Amino acid sequence: MILVTGGAGFIGANFVLDWLAGGDEAVLNLDALTYAGNLETLASLERNAAHRFIHGDICDRALVDGLLAEHRPRAIIHFAAESHVDRSIHGPGTFVRTNVEGTFTLLEAARTYWSGLPADDREAFRFLHVSTDEVYGSLGPQDPPFAETKTYEPNSPYSASKAASDHLVRAWHHTYGLPVLTTNCSNNYGPYQFPEKLIPLMIVNALAGKPLPVYGDGLNVRDWLYVGDHCSAIREVLARGRPGETYNIGGWNEIANIDIVRTLCRLLDEMRPDPAGPHERLISYVKDRPGHDRRYAIDARKIERELGWKPAETFETGIRKTVRWYLDNPGWIANVQSGAYRDWVATQYGGSDAGQGA
């Protein structure tokens, strides 16, 4: 059995679905079900005995200790995190609690559990911490992509909280010998992503005929990774990664935000034409957010060289699959846009449905 934290969120749920589709090893899924956690994403596992869901908080040490003692997992895959930059600007305390205190709690619980395992089980145990490229800061137009040796320079409360969690994970390995693995990924996209992030937000707004809000001049560049490729990379790191090492996971797709939005508009014009005209007519530029990093890019050569992993999707194939999924699943979209989500949007953006991820 493996223990997955945050397994009802976007990346975590995709990982759980992928894991159970590829084998019969059981998953213990711990998630607090905050606004971005959605059990509907896991509805296909309702009668799957290999999936057990626990509603709980990673900061609850007694709960985590009890789960480890009862289920005795061979690995912890730690996705649980607050991850939206705009939300971190509005309320940083939640990010410090979940991303820093929560990771600390898990590490301490894992260390106690691991220390008491028989020698062979202790040798095989892994704590895999899923992090972000945002910990590295911002790149200039000609700077080389982020390698694992890049200095940490976080610029938002979100990225600072993730950087802190990365440092804790590293320290628990070097101080206590806990067999940890860290992955730093680029921007994920794909099915089941909460519609506050750039790609699903633009799809949802475009289908509703609402403005497509683009921060600043729209030229902020991100490296885009299809979530299914991210899941396959995590599998490889868990199976064959070297304890104590960090592996950057990227899609080799550096694209400006405005070009993402235009691509989505073109796909929607093709797949769901709007009688009112091309979807690009809905693009609107809004005031940039504070501390908006200009460019991220991942150098994924280490994971390719050491573990043989490469993304299976190009951006063109992945984004087409993503748009098709959102067109085919309007019920999922409607259900996740709860009153809590709408209230947050109103607080953050004065009633407009703006909001973008990294």
Side-chain angles (χ1 to χ4, degrees):
M1 171 178 281
I2 61 170
L3 169 61
V4 173
T5 72
F10 166 48
I11 304 175
N14 272 281
F15 178 81
V16 169
L17 292 168
D18 178 78
W19 183 269
L20 292 173
D24 57 4
E25 184 175 14
V27 173
L28 182 65
N29 185 349
L30 174 62
D31 196 295
L33 293 181
T34 57
Y35 74 95
N38 182 13
L39 282 180
E40 188 174 351
T41 303
L42 302 168
S44 64
L45 302 178
E46 187 174 351
R47 292 178 175 83
N48 190 331
H51 177 250
R52 179 170 178 183
F53 179 78
I54 303 294
H55 181 203
D57 190 337
I58 59 171
C59 292
D60 184 342
R61 175 65 188 273
L63 172 64
V64 176
D65 283 342
L67 292 174
L68 293 174
E70 178 182 355
H71 297 281
R72 304 186 68 78
R74 70 173 181 91
I76 297 173
I77 298 88
H78 176 34
F79 292 98
E82 294 286 345
S83 66
H84 193 262
V85 175
D86 291 348
R87 287 180 181 268
S88 79
I89 294 169
H90 190 70
T94 302
F95 286 71
V96 172
R97 181 182 184 276
T98 299
N99 298 352
V100 183
E101 294 180 24
T103 300
F104 164 74
T105 300
L106 280 175
L107 286 167
E108 279 292 83
R111 180 166 72 95
T112 300
Y113 166 71
W114 167 75
S115 297
L117 290 173
D120 288 348
D121 292 343
R122 191 164 61 248
E123 181 68 23
F125 180 81
R126 297 291 184 267
F127 183 106
L128 195 158
H129 172 62
V130 180
S131 191
T132 173
D133 58 358
E134 296 187 48
V135 298
Y136 297 121
S138 185
L139 291 171
Q142 306 305 318
D143 291 338
F146 300 131
E148 289 82 356
T149 54
K150 170 71 170 63
T151 302
Y152 275 34
E153 297 178 306
N155 291 319
S156 71
Y158 161 60
S159 57
S161 68
K162 288 298 289 185
S165 68
D166 290 8
H167 291 318
L168 289 174
V169 171
R170 174 185 168 87
W172 260 241
H173 174 70
H174 285 277
T175 300
Y176 304 113
L178 187 68
V180 305
L181 300 154
T182 297
T183 59
N184 294 86
C185 69
S186 55
N187 278 36
N188 279 223
Y189 69 98
Y192 303 110
Q193 189 169 27
F194 195 75
E196 66 183 354
K197 298 296 180 98
L198 177 63
I199 287 174
L201 175 72
M202 296 300 155
I203 296 171
V204 170
N205 277 17
L207 292 174
K210 295 180 178 180
L212 308 181
V214 177
Y215 280 135
D217 59 9
L219 298 180
N220 300 77
V221 172
R222 300 293 182 261
D223 176 8
W224 292 91
L225 174 68
Y226 187 67
V227 67
D229 284 328
H230 189 191
C231 293
S232 71
I234 291 171
R235 277 180 171 271
E236 290 298 321
V237 173
L238 181 63
R240 299 190 293 117
R242 290 181 291 137
E245 291 294 312
T246 294
Y247 296 90
N248 283 353
I249 305 171
W252 299 109
N253 295 304
E254 286 191 58
I255 308 173
N257 286 348
I258 187 60
D259 292 328
I260 293 286
V261 177
R262 288 171 177 156
T263 296
L264 292 170
C265 288
R266 287 194 296 272
L267 286 170
L268 288 169
D269 289 345
E270 171 196 334
M271 300 162 75
R272 187 69 60 83
D274 185 343
H279 288 91
E280 279 199 31
R281 77 185 193 283
L282 300 172
I283 294 174
S284 64
Y285 292 88
V286 299
K287 182 181 178 181
D288 210 353
R289 70 173 175 219
H292 195 180
D293 290 336
R294 194 61 170 173
R295 172 177 168 246
Y296 303 145
I298 282 281
D299 181 342
R301 288 178 295 179
K302 178 178 177 179
I303 190 172
E304 291 182 6
R305 181 178 65 251
E306 294 192 8
L307 305 183
W309 176 87
K310 289 185 179 180
E313 301 290 344
T314 65
F315 184 74
E316 290 72 21
T317 62
I319 197 64
R320 181 172 286 274
K321 287 182 178 180
T322 300
V323 172
R324 173 49 59 195
W325 187 89
Y326 280 93
L327 291 177
D328 290 345
N329 290 275
W332 185 92
I333 297 168
N335 290 341
V336 299
Q337 290 180 304
S338 67
Y341 169 71
R342 292 192 298 272
D343 290 347
W344 179 83
V345 169
T347 300
Q348 180 73 7
Y349 297 105
S352 71
D353 285 327
Q356 295 167 39

